[in-house]
């Protein structure tokens, strides 16, 4: 009698096994962790700390600028470093969108410095988006703010488009309902929005963002309004004129921003709205009297924002330079040309 052939594995079972193996590989590849670079780039933490400290010492406004850059990268489409990509002749990138033109140069310089040092020590290993996330946390802490965990392993976006930002970033002139809806669309609660607004405890705003409201907005303290008019009197001829968001402790991360609002010392229309709207006022009052609670909620909201919409695994890349790699630039330009025909 002829020997019986071994049982054949059904094709469907093979497919299932392959899918499971593929899914497991993707999961391992895309998992974030606090020690993501412990083996692939052991000097990551030291390089970051040295670069950040040196930059902040020489340019004290770097912290506030980096925090703002982080918001403008993460909130619209996720923390993927797309804000760092340069425009080309065929594509207007996020950093050149009208709402981003006032972003200062120091945070971009900081990310370039850190990326350059890390590429020398650990080539093609650390993403630009991870660098921005860690730099933001460390700078907030340097100015007295809370420490929070930053999970690592993000990949960088391959594309960046100014048009993708439409309606996804807060503007000083937005109503409170518009701001609440904007944050809600990204999964953030009203309380988280108020906590994140505490970032205005450091940094400055350009006169063009609020000067037209000084005479018409009765929420301003009269003496403060007069001082703002004087400080911004020359802004039509000098658009770089600016005022600290928190006039009391502009270089310290604390809760005085919230304490200023009931006194009419808020700078932007949206600042006044936080205290004037019944949906947000209770949280302003809470954070004004309890700095520890503000720090706790700010840290939680920042940790949540830092992993919002991230790209991992094959959905992104480790960008060699801060700007868009040449090969990706060419692909974008070819696609745009093809759309014309």
């Amino acid at each position: 009698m002829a020997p019986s052939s071994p049982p054949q594995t059904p094709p469907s079972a093979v497919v299932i096994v392959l899918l499971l193996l593929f899914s497991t590989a993707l999961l391992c590849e895309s998992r974030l962790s606090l020690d993501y670079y412990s083996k692939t780039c052991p000097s990551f933490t030291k390089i970051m700390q040295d670069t950040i400290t040196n930059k902040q010492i020489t340019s004290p406004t770097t912290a506030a600028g980096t925090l703002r850059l982080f918001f403008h990268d993460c909130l619209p489409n996720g923390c993927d470093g797309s804000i760092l990509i340069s425009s080309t002749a065929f594509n207007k990138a996020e950093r050149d969108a009208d709402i981003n033109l006032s972003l200062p140069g120091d945070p971009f310089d900081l990310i370039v410095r850190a990326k350059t040092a890390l590429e020398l020590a650990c080539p093609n290993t650390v993403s630009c988006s991870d660098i921005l996330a860690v730099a933001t946390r460390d700078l907030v802490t340097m100015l007295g703010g809370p420490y929070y965990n930053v999970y690592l392993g993000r990949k960088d976006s391959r594309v960046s488009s100014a048009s993708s930002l439409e309606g996804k970033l807060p503007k000083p002139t937005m109503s409170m309902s518009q701001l609440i809806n904007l944050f809600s669309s990204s999964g953030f609660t009203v309380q988280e929005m108020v906590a994140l607004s505490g970032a205005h405890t450091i940094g400055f705003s350009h006169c063009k963002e609020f000067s037209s409201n000084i005479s018409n907005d009765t929420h301003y303290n009269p003496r403060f309004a007069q001082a703002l008019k004087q400080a911004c009197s020359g802004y039509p001829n000098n658009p770089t004129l600016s005022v600290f968001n928190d006039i009391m402790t502009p270089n310290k991360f604390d809760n005085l921003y919230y304490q200023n609002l009931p006194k009419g010392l808020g700078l932007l229309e949206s600042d006044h709205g936080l205290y004037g709207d019944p949906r947000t006022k209770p949280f302003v009052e809470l954070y004004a009297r309890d700095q520890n609670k503000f720090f706790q909620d700010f840290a939680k909201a920042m940790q949540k924002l830092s992993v919002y919409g991230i790209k991992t695994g094959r959905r992104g890349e480790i960008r060699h330079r801060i700007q868009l790699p040449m090969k990706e630039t060419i692909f974008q330009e070819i696609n745009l040309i093809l759309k014309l025909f």
Side-chain angles (χ1 to χ4, degrees), residues 167-186:
K168 295 182 179 180
L169 280 171
K171 298 178 181 179
T173 55
M174 282 183 171
S175 68
M176 198 49 52
S177 291
Q178 288 175 314
L179 289 171
I180 289 173
N181 290 337
L182 187 152
F183 277 85
S184 176
S185 66
S186 298

Side-chain angles (χ1 to χ4, degrees), residues 26-41 44-45 125-127 129-131 133-134 137 147-155 303 306-307 310-313:
L26 285 180
L27 181 62
C28 293
E29 185 182 31
S30 62
R31 186 176 294 136
L32 301 183
S33 67
L34 296 175
D35 60 350
Y36 189 84
Y37 297 113
S38 60
K39 294 182 179 179
T40 57
C41 190
F44 170 74
T45 300
T125 302
V126 181
S127 67
S129 47
D130 273 351
I131 293 172
V134 171
R137 189 271 313 279
Y147 180 92
Y148 55 92
N149 287 328
V150 174
Y151 287 85
L152 302 171
R154 298 165 190 76
K155 295 295 175 62
Q303 189 169 332
S306 71
V307 294
I310 60 172
K311 292 176 173 59
T312 56

Side-chain angles (χ1 to χ4, degrees), residues 84-87 95 112 128 317 319-326 329:
L84 304 170
I85 294 176
S86 300
S87 296
R95 66 190 296 175
V112 169
C128 300
E317 66 177 0
R319 204 177 303 145
H320 295 285
R321 304 188 308 276
I322 297 302
Q323 69 271 24
L324 193 65
M326 183 59 69
T329 304

Side-chain angles (χ1 to χ4, degrees), residues 99-319:
I99 198 169
N100 285 333
L101 292 179
S102 61
L103 290 173
D106 281 327
F108 288 99
D109 179 60
L110 168 62
I111 307 305
V112 169
R113 291 187 185 193
K115 179 63 173 175
T116 301
L118 287 165
E119 281 296 310
L120 290 173
C122 321
N124 197 32
T125 302
V126 181
S127 67
C128 300
S129 47
D130 273 351
I131 293 172
L132 178 56
V134 171
T136 301
R137 189 271 313 279
D138 288 357
L139 286 164
V140 165
T141 305
M142 283 180 65
L143 294 191
Y147 180 92
Y148 55 92
N149 287 328
V150 174
Y151 287 85
L152 302 171
R154 298 165 190 76
K155 295 295 175 62
D156 297 322
S157 175
R158 296 184 176 91
V159 296
S160 177
S161 173
S163 60
S164 69
L165 302 184
E166 189 61 36
K168 295 182 179 180
L169 280 171
K171 298 178 181 179
T173 55
M174 282 183 171
S175 68
M176 198 49 52
S177 291
Q178 288 175 314
L179 289 171
I180 289 173
N181 290 337
L182 187 152
F183 277 85
S184 176
S185 66
S186 298
F188 291 88
T189 66
V190 173
Q191 184 167 4
E192 288 170 334
M193 181 193 77
V194 178
L196 290 172
S197 298
H200 283 176
T201 188
I202 57 175
F204 56 86
S205 294
H206 289 92
C207 289
K208 66 177 181 179
E209 296 177 332
F210 60 85
S211 58
S212 61
N213 300 322
I214 299 175
S215 300
N216 304 323
D217 193 334
T218 57
H219 296 99
Y220 283 106
N221 176 292
R223 292 178 61 187
F224 183 49
Q226 190 60 38
L228 290 177
K229 288 180 182 178
Q230 184 175 355
C232 295
S233 59
Y235 108 85
N237 298 321
N238 182 7
T240 63
L241 285 178
S242 56
V243 177
F244 287 120
N245 292 321
D246 173 6
I247 61 170
M248 298 300 184
T249 55
N251 296 313
K252 182 180 179 183
F253 197 98
D254 54 26
N255 69 333
L256 258 65
Y257 163 75
Y258 298 105
Q259 295 181 24
N260 290 339
L261 299 185
K263 302 172 184 176
L265 300 178
L267 190 60
L268 305 175
E269 185 177 341
S270 55
D271 295 331
H272 298 155
L274 286 177
Y275 186 68
D277 193 289
R279 293 169 291 183
T280 52
K281 183 177 180 180
F283 301 119
V284 171
E285 293 175 330
L286 171 63
Y287 297 146
R289 66 175 180 265
D290 191 341
Q291 179 168 280
N292 289 334
K293 178 61 174 172
F294 163 49
F295 278 15
Q296 178 184 353
D297 289 353
F298 180 82
K300 288 181 180 178
M302 284 293 286
Q303 189 169 332
K304 178 177 176 178
L305 180 60
S306 71
V307 294
Y308 171 67
I310 60 172
K311 292 176 173 59
T312 56
R314 295 181 176 88
R315 294 190 299 150
E317 66 177 0
I318 301 295
R319 204 177 303 145

